[in-house]
Structures are given as C-alpha cells and as structure tokens.
Amino acid sequence: MSTDRIDTETAHSARIYDYIIGGMDHYPADQEAGDAMVREWPALPVHMRANRDFMNRAVRYLAAEAGIRQFLDIGTGIPTSPNIHEIAQSVAPESRVVYVDNDPLVLTLSQGLMSGAPEGTTAYIEADMRDPAAVLDSPAFRETLDLGEPVGLTVIAIVHFLLDEHDAVGIVRRLLEPLPAGSHLAMSIGTAEFAPDEVGRVAREYAARGMPMRLRTLAEAGEFFTGLDLVEPGIVQVHKWRPDGTGTEVVRDADIAMYGAVARKPG
C-alpha cells in the first residue's frame, strides 16, 4: 500500500502511544506531542504499559479460561508484539482475529500481521468504529468470524476519543449485537478519577492537537457493561485486573488513568 495517505505532519493518537511505550513507528510530530504529554504527567508511560499489560492478560483469559477462539479488535493501533493473535494463538493456534483501525499507517504496518499460526487466521478491516456497520458488513468480518460461536470483542484504550455526540456506549452495543451468547467484551476506559489534574493536562495536550477526549467515571464506565455478566474482579483500574505477577515495575493507583473489565454476554 502507498504511504501517501499518511499525514506525517500531524500527531496521531496511535503513534503517540507507540512512541511513549518505546515503539519505532512514529514521526517527529508524534514525538513532540508525546514529550509534551509526559512533561505534564511523568507517569504516562507507566499508565500506557499497564494498559498494554491488561490487554495481554484479558486476551489470555479469554483464550485460556473462557475458551474464546475468535476475536474482533476495535481500534487496533500500531502493531506491538505480542499482538492479540499472538497471545490467542499461543493458547489455541486455530484462533481467528479480525483487526479494525482507520489509520493508514496502522494498515501499512499490519500487513505483516497477516501471517499468524498456520491453523489460525488474521484479517484487517480499515473502518472507523463510529460506523459499526462498516465493520459488521465488511467481507473480512463475515468471512473470518463464525457468528455461531462466541467472539471476544476487544475495545482497548479507544473510547476516550469518542465524545458524547458519538454515543460510545451505543457503538459498543451495536458491535456486540450480532455476537452470540457466550461472547465476551474486554475494554479499557480512560478516566481522570485517580489523577485529575495530571490527566486533565494530558487531555488538554491531546485536544490542542485535534484529539479531544471524553474521560469517564466508574459509573459511566459501567454503562458499557449493562446487561452483561462481569468477570471477577469487575471494573477496576487496569493494573488491578487479575494481575499475574509478571510486571517488574511498582504501579501506584495515581499512575493509572484507565478502568478495565471483561464481561460475558448471557443467554
């Protein structure tokens, strides 16, 4: 794919994230933005790594304990190993994963993702999550996932970029709607409840670059899981969701601005 669609002059949330967690796929505008944000909140890299670790644990739980063998990942971002298909296929090589993002750079970099375990499948949809029909009606969705079997819907560190007029809860419900009983939703949801001043300053840095945020309270985070059965320990800060002891850094609650949870669709 041509890279001429990639705007390298404007900072992008996925590339800022990549820069802050130590990746290689970003541009000077992203580095400038990331440096400005870390100056405002030095714990930001700790927070982002904790979110990444939560995703890893949640996917491993879904594959190893919930028996999920197919995944729909919304807002994939820059590929950083281990990716969802690597985690799931390490448990069950036949696992199938559909990635969704709307950044041309993510699409370009994700071409290499298409080779997972030979028994499994990975596919990529270029779509905006604000248009769930573009995801659900795509050939890659219909051809890769079997809607007769449960699906793990992962929505990690993305809904804070959906404002009230976008109806983030409605979007997630629409994505869950065609998924059968036994499917699971894994989410991390931005919040300013633990470090309001610092996180507020980071949010202003994002907004100044055209990426306004909607940070949510615990009660607002809970709205995404209405009608679903939360897996223990429920909705908690991401570093508190089933920690496995593999983390090497001490994480303070004030350093984490993300709630995380996994829930099952009943029926």
Side-chain angles (χ1 to χ4, degrees):
M1 171 186 162
S2 168
T3 58
D4 58 7
R5 293 171 54 214
I6 299 170
D7 180 359
T8 63
E9 301 298 320
T10 304
H12 186 282
S13 59
R15 301 195 306 256
I16 295 168
Y17 184 89
D18 175 78
Y19 169 65
I20 291 176
I21 65 171
M24 303 297 290
D25 297 301
H26 49 264
Y27 298 100
D30 310 303
Q31 184 171 340
E32 181 277 327
D35 288 344
M37 292 167 188
V38 172
R39 280 196 299 273
E40 296 292 354
W41 191 31
L44 187 58
V46 175
H47 155 82
M48 287 183 169
R49 286 193 294 269
N51 175 74
R52 183 89 197 167
D53 290 345
F54 161 76
M55 183 199 80
N56 294 351
R57 294 194 307 276
V59 171
R60 185 166 294 280
Y61 166 83
L62 292 175
E65 298 188 47
I68 299 295
R69 295 294 176 263
Q70 44 187 6
F71 295 82
L72 175 62
D73 181 54
I74 304 294
T76 295
I78 304 287
T80 304
S81 189
N83 296 290
I84 286 178
H85 73 279
E86 293 172 318
I87 300 165
Q89 290 176 357
S90 72
V91 175
E94 70 275 19
S95 297
R96 302 188 297 280
V97 180
V98 173
Y99 292 106
V100 180
D101 207 290
N102 68 339
D103 179 20
L105 178 63
V106 173
L107 175 60
T108 300
L109 294 170
S110 295
Q111 299 304 319
L113 288 180
M114 299 311 167
S115 56
E119 303 94 324
T121 305
T122 59
Y124 186 93
I125 301 170
E126 185 174 6
D128 191 320
M129 72 177 294
R130 290 173 293 187
D131 182 10
V135 177
L136 300 174
D137 294 342
S138 71
F141 174 81
R142 296 195 305 268
E143 293 166 8
T144 307
L145 303 183
D146 173 5
L147 295 185
E149 297 293 332
V151 175
L153 173 62
T154 54
V155 187
I156 304 297
I158 190 69
V159 292
H160 50 276
F161 293 115
L162 297 180
L163 307 182
D164 286 346
E165 60 262 34
H166 298 136
D167 185 19
V169 171
I171 287 170
V172 172
R173 285 184 181 151
R174 178 71 184 91
L175 292 166
L176 272 172
E177 191 177 0
L179 308 184
S183 294
H184 284 65
L185 170 65
M187 287 188 72
S188 61
I189 300 161
T191 182
E193 291 196 300
F194 300 93
D197 294 340
E198 295 87 341
V199 175
R201 292 197 298 267
V202 171
R204 284 193 291 274
E205 292 288 344
Y206 273 102
R209 292 164 177 82
M211 295 172 281
M213 282 186 172
R214 173 65 163 88
L215 299 164
R216 291 174 171 83
T217 64
L218 178 60
E220 288 170 333
E223 294 174 10
F224 289 98
F225 301 97
T226 300
L228 305 178
D229 297 329
L230 282 163
V231 172
E232 287 294 328
I235 306 170
V236 294
Q237 283 176 286
V238 286
H239 65 302
K240 295 181 175 180
W241 195 88
R242 298 186 172 229
D244 56 12
T246 60
T248 57
E249 58 189 343
V250 176
V251 179
R252 304 180 311 136
D253 290 358
D255 293 344
I256 303 299
M258 202 79 79
Y259 285 117
V262 175
R264 182 181 184 277
K265 185 175 181 178

